[in-house]
Amino acid sequence: MMNITGLHLKNPTILAAGIMGTTGASLIRMAREGAGAVVTKSIGPQPKDGHSNPSMVKLECGYLNAMGLPNPSYEAFLPELEKAKDKAGVPVIASIFGGDPEEFRMVAEGLISGKPDAFELNVSCPHAMGYGASVGTDPSMVKAVTSAVCEIADAPVWVKLTPNVTDIVTIGKAAQAGGADAVVAINTVRGMAIDIHSGYPVLGNRFGGLSGEAVRPVAVKCVYDLNANLDIPIIGVGGISTWQHAVEMIMAGASAVQIGSGVFEGLNVFSDITAGINWFLKEHGYTKIEDITGIAHERF
């Protein structure tokens, strides 16, 4: 059992936002598959259809997606959150988005009755115009959004950061200054694929976010830099599909890890990673995950 921002997790693996988090039933299933906590699909102020298909494509090095933040609105999603809270048996974190501090506050207030264990602020989606990274690349906006939710939230507030900036530490510090209890790093990296036979972009939105194996070194560096400069926990995410990946991220400074694209390789990913981490700790004489968190900062 571990404690992160007041949440009690049975293991350090967390289902990332956007993967199997659209219904209460799917969140419950991920918890039963071994996730230590689960994050919902990002939920916004109004119903949103998202981008036209194709909205996801598998590459040799990972996945490109341009979903466009499809969601039913916070009002329609509330019953799904309540269902997950009732049956998951692990912390349920509500991922929310908006175009400005007022919309973020509105969504958080609308979901409070569902009693999420934490809020994760999506200021990092790279392909939804007016949302996500459109907000998260501006430090003053990140601070304002974070403050707006922290003022009314009765649960910890995590802020999910975009890597599509010159300096992610500046954005992390803005979230911390706004009252964030933790930051989550990273969301997807902007990318694009073109069909060479037709000349058309593969995705319906033309470009999207790259996830999976290719982004892991980027995520590790971002987590390392944030850990060196922030005083709040960092949740590492990006290309994690094995226990070795998770240990690497934890050594960079992550207190826990989120798994997104890795779920597509099999739902046993949570239990396999947890078992591997436990074996590694025992094999190397460590007693708890905190013993290796950020250890890479001491080894240079």
Side-chain angles (χ1 to χ4, degrees), residues 5-143:
T5 68
L7 277 61
H8 298 289
L9 277 64
K10 62 184 179 181
N11 67 65
T13 68
I14 303 171
L15 174 72
I19 307 293
M20 298 296 289
T22 56
T23 67
S26 61
L27 290 164
I28 292 166
R29 183 182 182 190
M30 294 301 99
R32 290 176 178 169
E33 292 290 344
V38 293
V39 184
T40 71
K41 182 78 176 73
S42 292
I43 303 301
Q46 292 94 28
K48 200 170 186 298
D49 292 332
H51 297 313
S52 60
N53 288 325
S55 57
M56 186 168 181
V57 59
K58 192 177 190 307
L59 307 175
E60 299 88 345
C61 57
Y63 297 86
L64 268 178
N65 91 85
M67 302 300 292
L69 294 175
N71 79 103
S73 83
Y74 67 90
E75 294 172 313
F77 185 75
L78 183 58
E80 301 300 329
L81 175 61
E82 293 171 337
K83 184 186 299 183
K85 276 288 297 179
D86 184 47
K87 300 288 187 182
V90 302
V92 178
I93 299 150
S95 174
I96 65 174
F97 72 90
D100 55 43
E102 289 70 31
E103 286 191 348
F104 270 93
R105 184 198 298 264
M106 177 198 309
V107 178
E109 285 181 324
L111 293 177
I112 282 177
S113 64
K115 301 187 185 304
D117 293 285
F119 288 101
E120 182 177 286
L121 312 188
N122 183 348
V123 295
S124 48
C125 175
H127 47 72
M129 189 65 67
Y131 299 105
S134 297
V135 175
T137 54
D138 179 350
S140 61
M141 182 63 81
V142 169
K143 181 180 178 181

Side-chain angles (χ1 to χ4, degrees), residues 91-240:
V92 178
I93 299 150
S95 174
I96 65 174
F97 72 90
D100 55 43
E102 289 70 31
E103 286 191 348
F104 270 93
R105 184 198 298 264
M106 177 198 309
V107 178
E109 285 181 324
L111 293 177
I112 282 177
S113 64
K115 301 187 185 304
D117 293 285
F119 288 101
E120 182 177 286
L121 312 188
N122 183 348
V123 295
S124 48
C125 175
H127 47 72
M129 189 65 67
Y131 299 105
S134 297
V135 175
T137 54
D138 179 350
S140 61
M141 182 63 81
V142 169
K143 181 180 178 181
V145 163
T146 306
S147 296
V149 176
C150 286
E151 285 172 3
I152 58 93
D154 56 357
V157 174
W158 299 1
V159 180
K160 190 168 186 179
L161 307 180
T162 175
N164 301 301
V165 291
T166 304
D167 179 18
I168 196 171
V169 170
T170 299
I171 309 298
K173 286 183 175 179
Q176 180 174 274
D181 297 282
V183 296
V184 181
I186 56 175
N187 209 318
T188 54
V189 177
R190 282 197 182 98
M192 186 176 183
I194 296 170
D195 175 28
I196 64 170
H197 301 289
S198 67
Y200 280 93
V202 173
L203 292 173
N205 188 57
R206 302 188 309 282
F207 72 93
L210 176 65
S211 64
E213 182 75 17
V215 307
R216 196 177 73 253
V218 177
V220 169
K221 178 61 163 61
C222 288
V223 167
Y224 184 92
D225 290 346
L226 289 163
N227 179 263
N229 289 279
L230 270 58
D231 301 318
I232 55 178
I234 294 96
I235 313 301
V237 56
I240 298 171

